[in-house]
Amino acid sequence: MPDWNPKDEYFKFTRGRFIVDEAENLRKREVRFDMNELARIAADSVGASRCISIKKYPDGMFNKAFLMSMDDGREVVAKVPNPNAGAPHLTTASEVATMDFARRILGTPAPRIYSWNSRAESNPVGAEFIIMDKAEGVPLSQVWGTFKLPQKLQVLVAMTRLQNQWLSISFSHYGSLYYTKDVQPQAGNHYVKDDKAIRDSEFAIGPATGRDWFDAGRSVLDIEKGPWASLTQYLQAVRTREMRAIQSLKPPKQIALFCGPKLYRPDTEKKLTALRWYQQVVAALIPKDTAITRPCLWYNDLHDDNIFIDPRNPENITGIIDWQSCHISPLFNHNPDPAFLDWDGLEPEALDLAPMPKLSGLSPDERSAAVHEYTVRNVFVAWRKLMLSKNPDLYRAVEFRKTAAYGLIFLAHRMFEYGEAHFQSLLVDLKDSWADLPAVISDTPFPFDFSEEDIERIKLESDGAVAGTDLVAEVKERLGDLWPDKGFIEQERYDECRAALHEMKSQILEQLAETAEEKAEYERYWPFE
């Protein structure tokens, strides 16, 4: 057999270079293992004599994936998690069980698994791994832009059917799914289908593997990760997690919003205060509609590289890949809209299709932009119309996600990174609608008495956070495809990207910094090194 181990690019992050904290980001995405052993196990798992070719897919943010070709023509995908993927053992064990459950119980075309091991220290590869089917069809990313409207609607109809299948089952606990042999099962854990509790001895609910339990250094926190039998327990555990992170971890630099004297200034005490306020109101924020609070298993990362379809029959979704970190959460906490719809506008006020824009007098570029915006908006509205018709529970979750109550729950989940300014502002606004919350007992007073001075301070801080977010949006627009999405950029554009960001920083400092002290503060918060 060939010796695959000397190929250094197999083990390192090679998709690009990081603009933010490069050395640490590369370290978290390098994993060393015995590729020869992985190739041997892959061949054995499908009855081939040997692996004759290994092709590395572009790096993911949390995994390495390889296409392995066998001497008998078979092809499989081998996946190895990076050190930043999540909890050792649990992340891989849950991913495998979730794919199996999705394929066999939910009728979703998840990959079939041939071999796997979640114990890196005790297997010959020296890393956790999964050997699975190569997805049939083509990635949606290759064809979505070429599809006419009827073909796009076919994809949406198919996606609606899949989500309907996911909605058909709920669970007794919040957490993540495993095989029973891999976790300590909780008393009474089961799933519910057709109003019947099914105690399947093969599957169990265990600790949560969602990304928010591990991102930004949270993986080192000694905290309880579930499973939880009630929504209140789950939401209070999130609060405890964020409190511990704020108290013990170094906050990450933000690229979601710029920070500084006239913008947003992260404040540990204000974060902790916001979470104490959250504890006082969280019970009132929980909706009474059990259809949207029930524990559901969901696929939240429906971008166009993870979905495979038959290009001759767009209604046939042939595969959905990358189930890592899928978890069981309240339905309202899951992402209802596929990322491939590319909608980043405001929530539509009504499900009315937009009229065709007037194109006369526009330049070719302006016409193209207008038609693109018209198409994206109407495809998104069509998606929501399908949801309302076919998956009304999911649409009710969408409606709840528009409320201040959901906004407060959402911001509490990420209080460590950001959120206290918006949280406090939403809480002030909540006073006017407090009595209308379904969970508020009649005549229960709003638990806070904000002074005029408090309200003015909170408004100023919220305005600063909005300005910081708007400034990021402006810089993204000006940089175009030079913007380092997720903190990294292609190797060949690294120097150009750094130069453009340096120029942006100079302009921001000139515009906002009035003193040497303010300039130093903006420099300290600037996320791009």
Side-chain angles (χ1 to χ4, degrees):
M1 288 183 60
D3 182 5
W4 310 105
N5 287 332
K7 295 195 175 184
D8 212 35
E9 66 270 19
Y10 285 155
F11 313 107
K12 293 187 173 184
F13 185 89
T14 56
R15 186 173 162 192
R17 288 193 62 183
F18 286 91
I19 299 291
V20 182
D21 200 2
E22 183 166 48
E24 176 62 12
N25 272 303
L26 291 175
R27 184 196 65 77
K28 292 189 299 189
R29 292 170 175 83
E30 180 174 348
V31 54
R32 293 286 169 174
F33 56 91
D34 192 327
M35 183 66 88
N36 296 335
E37 280 296 320
L38 186 64
R40 180 189 62 78
I41 291 170
D44 289 347
S45 72
V46 292
S49 298
R50 63 192 181 96
C51 173
I52 60 172
S53 170
I54 298 177
K55 175 186 175 185
K56 183 185 178 186
Y57 287 110
D59 284 280
M61 296 302 284
F62 305 103
N63 301 278
K64 306 269 182 283
F66 308 91
L67 178 63
M68 294 189 166
S69 303
M70 306 302 160
D71 58 343
D72 61 0
R74 293 285 298 273
E75 290 182 319
V76 298
V77 173
K79 183 176 182 179
V80 176
N82 292 333
N84 67 337
H89 165 61
L90 293 176
T91 300
T92 296
S94 179
E95 180 177 6
V96 168
T98 300
M99 280 195 284
D100 193 20
F101 189 91
R103 193 170 56 81
R104 293 197 286 124
I105 309 299
L106 295 177
T108 299
R112 183 185 302 272
I113 295 164
Y114 298 112
S115 181
W116 65 283
N117 195 302
S118 60
R119 304 288 188 181
E121 69 283 354
S122 60
N123 75 63
V125 174
E128 299 179 36
F129 66 85
I130 305 171
I131 309 295
M132 65 190 115
D133 267 333
K134 178 188 175 187
E136 297 180 1
V138 301
L140 184 60
S141 57
Q142 292 185 11
V143 292
W144 179 255
T146 68
F147 279 171
K148 303 298 184 186
L149 185 58
Q151 295 168 300
K152 291 185 175 181
L153 292 177
Q154 284 182 281
V155 177
L156 299 189
V157 167
M159 194 56 62
T160 301
R161 280 200 298 265
L162 276 183
Q163 290 189 336
N164 184 269
Q165 290 168 281
W166 303 344
L167 288 165
S168 70
I169 287 180
S170 59
F171 294 81
S172 59
H173 290 69
Y174 303 89
S176 287
L177 197 62
Y178 299 85
Y179 291 127
T180 303
K181 64 183 176 61
D182 290 314
V183 291
Q184 186 68 40
Q186 298 294 301
N189 98 71
H190 59 272
Y191 63 88
V192 178
K193 185 173 185 178
D194 300 327
D195 297 323
K196 294 167 66 174
I198 300 173
R199 287 170 173 80
D200 189 329
S201 60
E202 189 175 3
F203 295 101
I205 305 163
T209 60
R211 289 252 46 93
D212 57 342
W213 293 89
F214 301 97
D215 282 348
R218 290 182 183 86
S219 57
V220 304
L221 297 174
D222 183 17
I223 51 174
E224 185 243 338
K225 297 187 177 75
W228 304 276
S230 77
L231 181 53
T232 300
Q233 290 174 359
Y234 164 69
L235 294 177
Q236 291 290 12
V238 169
R239 172 193 167 274
T240 300
R241 179 194 75 204
E242 295 302 281
M243 292 280 284
R244 294 273 182 83
I246 292 163
Q247 291 165 338
S248 60
L249 300 177
K250 179 183 176 182
K253 286 192 172 183
Q254 287 302 319
I255 61 172
L257 72 172
F258 290 143
C259 305
K262 297 178 181 64
L263 305 172
Y264 162 70
R265 282 167 154 160
D267 188 292
T268 296
E269 275 310 308
K270 288 173 183 173
K271 289 177 186 289
L272 295 174
T273 298
L275 288 171
R276 285 191 285 269
W277 291 350
Y278 174 70
Q279 186 176 21
Q280 293 178 254
V281 299
V282 63
L285 304 177
I286 298 173
K288 289 291 189 183
D289 186 353
T290 56
I292 69 172
T293 60
R294 60 194 170 110
C296 288
L297 180 65
W298 205 254
Y299 188 99
N300 284 293
D301 196 20
L302 288 170
H303 69 70
D304 52 13
D305 284 327
N306 285 346
I307 302 166
F308 286 71
I309 68 165
D310 177 352
R312 293 164 297 184
N313 178 14
E315 206 166 325
N316 181 18
I317 295 176
T318 57
I320 295 181
I321 64 170
D322 196 5
W323 289 77
Q324 188 180 78
S325 303
C326 289
H327 55 282
I328 300 166
S329 283
L331 179 59
F332 69 74
N333 227 33
H334 290 303
N335 188 353
D337 303 314
F340 67 79
L341 294 178
D342 197 27
W343 176 255
D344 59 1
L346 298 174
E347 276 286 332
E349 294 182 7
L351 297 184
D352 299 324
L353 295 175
M356 184 67 184
K358 295 178 181 178
L359 304 178
S360 60
L362 298 181
S363 70
D365 285 348
E366 290 171 334
R367 281 200 298 271
S368 177
V371 170
H372 176 75
E373 182 180 345
Y374 160 80
T375 303
V376 169
R377 178 183 174 84
N378 279 349
V379 168
F380 184 77
V381 169
W383 162 254
R384 285 288 182 80
K385 282 176 172 283
L386 276 170
M387 186 192 297
L388 176 61
S389 171
K390 304 298 182 184
N391 294 329
D393 286 357
L394 188 59
Y395 192 81
R396 292 208 299 280
V398 166
E399 291 293 293
F400 175 66
R401 287 165 68 97
K402 299 176 184 178
T403 66
Y406 171 76
L408 290 164
I409 292 172
F410 171 80
L411 290 168
H413 275 66
R414 293 289 185 174
M415 196 66 75
F416 172 47
E417 289 103 329
Y418 53 81
E420 68 273 18
H422 291 310
F423 183 95
Q424 292 183 46
S425 178
L426 273 180
L427 196 61
V428 168
D429 293 342
L430 189 69
K431 181 177 181 179
D432 295 334
S433 57
W434 173 257
D436 299 328
L437 292 177
V440 171
I441 300 171
S442 180
D443 298 327
T444 302
F446 185 64
F448 309 105
D449 184 19
F450 294 113
S451 68
E452 289 298 321
E453 185 181 352
D454 290 333
I455 293 171
E456 181 63 24
R457 174 186 58 79
I458 288 170
K459 181 181 185 304
L460 282 173
E461 291 172 356
S462 175
D463 289 347
V466 170
T469 305
D470 290 345
L471 190 55
V472 169
E474 180 186 333
V475 172
K476 284 178 71 171
E477 183 176 357
R478 291 175 65 182
L479 262 63
D481 57 6
L482 276 181
W483 173 257
D485 191 38
K486 298 180 182 176
F488 77 95
I489 192 79
E490 297 92 338
Q491 299 265 6
E492 61 274 12
R493 310 197 72 185
Y494 177 77
D495 291 336
E496 186 182 3
C497 175
R498 278 183 65 89
L501 286 168
H502 182 76
E503 175 63 25
M504 286 291 103
K505 182 174 77 167
S506 298
Q507 293 179 18
I508 290 170
L509 291 178
E510 184 177 345
Q511 176 186 344
L512 297 178
E514 296 181 9
T515 66
E517 291 77 13
E518 286 190 355
K519 180 178 180 182
E521 189 173 348
Y522 282 118
E523 291 269 11
R524 188 170 71 253
Y525 283 129
W526 183 251
F528 305 110
E529 297 166 357

Short mmCIF file of all heavy atoms in Angstrom, two decimals, residues 1-7 10 34-37 54:
data_model
loop_
_atom_site.label_atom_id
_atom_site.label_comp_id
_atom_site.label_asym_id
_atom_site.label_seq_id
_atom_site.Cartn_x
_atom_site.Cartn_y
_atom_site.Cartn_z
N MET A 1 0.84 -1.21 0.00
CA MET A 1 0.00 0.00 0.00
C MET A 1 0.87 1.25 0.00
O MET A 1 1.97 1.24 0.54
CB MET A 1 -0.91 0.01 1.24
CG MET A 1 -2.04 -1.00 1.20
SD MET A 1 -3.11 -0.84 2.64
CE MET A 1 -3.69 0.84 2.47
N PRO A 2 0.37 2.34 -0.59
CA PRO A 2 1.12 3.60 -0.52
C PRO A 2 1.23 4.06 0.93
O PRO A 2 0.41 3.72 1.78
CB PRO A 2 0.24 4.57 -1.34
CG PRO A 2 -0.69 3.72 -2.12
CD PRO A 2 -0.88 2.46 -1.35
N ASP A 3 2.25 4.86 1.20
CA ASP A 3 2.40 5.46 2.52
C ASP A 3 1.81 6.87 2.45
O ASP A 3 2.39 7.78 1.86
CB ASP A 3 3.88 5.51 2.91
CG ASP A 3 4.09 6.09 4.30
OD1 ASP A 3 3.08 6.35 4.99
OD2 ASP A 3 5.26 6.27 4.70
N TRP A 4 0.63 7.06 3.08
CA TRP A 4 -0.06 8.34 3.01
C TRP A 4 0.41 9.33 4.07
O TRP A 4 0.15 10.53 3.97
CB TRP A 4 -1.58 8.14 3.19
CG TRP A 4 -2.17 7.07 2.32
CD1 TRP A 4 -2.56 5.83 2.70
CD2 TRP A 4 -2.46 7.15 0.92
NE1 TRP A 4 -3.07 5.13 1.63
CE2 TRP A 4 -3.03 5.92 0.52
CE3 TRP A 4 -2.30 8.15 -0.05
CZ2 TRP A 4 -3.42 5.65 -0.78
CZ3 TRP A 4 -2.70 7.88 -1.34
CH2 TRP A 4 -3.25 6.65 -1.70
N ASN A 5 1.09 8.85 5.10
CA ASN A 5 1.37 9.68 6.27
C ASN A 5 2.29 10.88 6.02
O ASN A 5 2.17 11.90 6.72
CB ASN A 5 1.92 8.82 7.41
CG ASN A 5 0.85 7.95 8.02
OD1 ASN A 5 -0.33 8.30 8.00
ND2 ASN A 5 1.24 6.80 8.56
N PRO A 6 3.24 10.82 5.09
CA PRO A 6 4.11 11.99 4.90
C PRO A 6 3.41 13.23 4.33
O PRO A 6 4.01 14.31 4.30
CB PRO A 6 5.18 11.48 3.93
CG PRO A 6 5.17 10.00 4.11
CD PRO A 6 3.74 9.65 4.35
N LYS A 7 2.18 13.09 3.83
CA LYS A 7 1.50 14.22 3.20
C LYS A 7 0.96 15.16 4.27
O LYS A 7 -0.15 14.96 4.79
CB LYS A 7 0.39 13.73 2.27
CG LYS A 7 0.92 12.92 1.09
CD LYS A 7 -0.12 12.76 0.02
CE LYS A 7 0.45 12.05 -1.21
NZ LYS A 7 -0.52 11.95 -2.31
N TYR A 10 -2.69 16.73 4.60
CA TYR A 10 -3.84 15.98 5.09
C TYR A 10 -4.24 16.41 6.50
O TYR A 10 -5.40 16.33 6.88
CB TYR A 10 -3.53 14.48 5.12
CG TYR A 10 -3.52 13.78 3.79
CD1 TYR A 10 -2.78 12.62 3.61
CD2 TYR A 10 -4.26 14.25 2.71
CE1 TYR A 10 -2.76 11.95 2.40
CE2 TYR A 10 -4.25 13.61 1.49
CZ TYR A 10 -3.50 12.45 1.34
OH TYR A 10 -3.48 11.78 0.13
N ASP A 34 -2.84 8.38 11.97
CA ASP A 34 -2.24 7.43 11.04
C ASP A 34 -3.17 7.24 9.84
O ASP A 34 -4.15 6.50 9.91
CB ASP A 34 -1.99 6.09 11.75
CG ASP A 34 -1.11 5.16 10.93
OD1 ASP A 34 -1.20 5.20 9.69
OD2 ASP A 34 -0.36 4.36 11.54
N MET A 35 -2.87 7.96 8.76
CA MET A 35 -3.71 7.89 7.56
C MET A 35 -3.68 6.50 6.94
O MET A 35 -4.67 6.03 6.37
CB MET A 35 -3.28 8.95 6.54
CG MET A 35 -4.15 8.98 5.28
SD MET A 35 -5.85 9.49 5.58
CE MET A 35 -5.67 11.27 5.42
N ASN A 36 -2.54 5.81 7.04
CA ASN A 36 -2.46 4.44 6.49
C ASN A 36 -3.47 3.53 7.17
O ASN A 36 -4.15 2.72 6.52
CB ASN A 36 -1.05 3.88 6.67
CG ASN A 36 -0.01 4.66 5.89
OD1 ASN A 36 -0.32 5.31 4.89
ND2 ASN A 36 1.24 4.64 6.34
N GLU A 37 -3.59 3.66 8.50
CA GLU A 37 -4.56 2.84 9.24
C GLU A 37 -5.98 3.23 8.88
O GLU A 37 -6.86 2.37 8.75
CB GLU A 37 -4.34 2.99 10.75
CG GLU A 37 -3.20 2.16 11.29
CD GLU A 37 -3.47 0.67 11.15
OE1 GLU A 37 -4.62 0.23 11.37
OE2 GLU A 37 -2.53 -0.07 10.79
N ILE A 54 -6.51 8.90 -2.18
CA ILE A 54 -7.12 9.72 -1.13
C ILE A 54 -7.10 11.17 -1.59
O ILE A 54 -6.05 11.71 -1.94
CB ILE A 54 -6.37 9.59 0.20
CG1 ILE A 54 -6.42 8.15 0.72
CG2 ILE A 54 -6.97 10.54 1.25
CD1 ILE A 54 -5.63 7.94 2.00
#
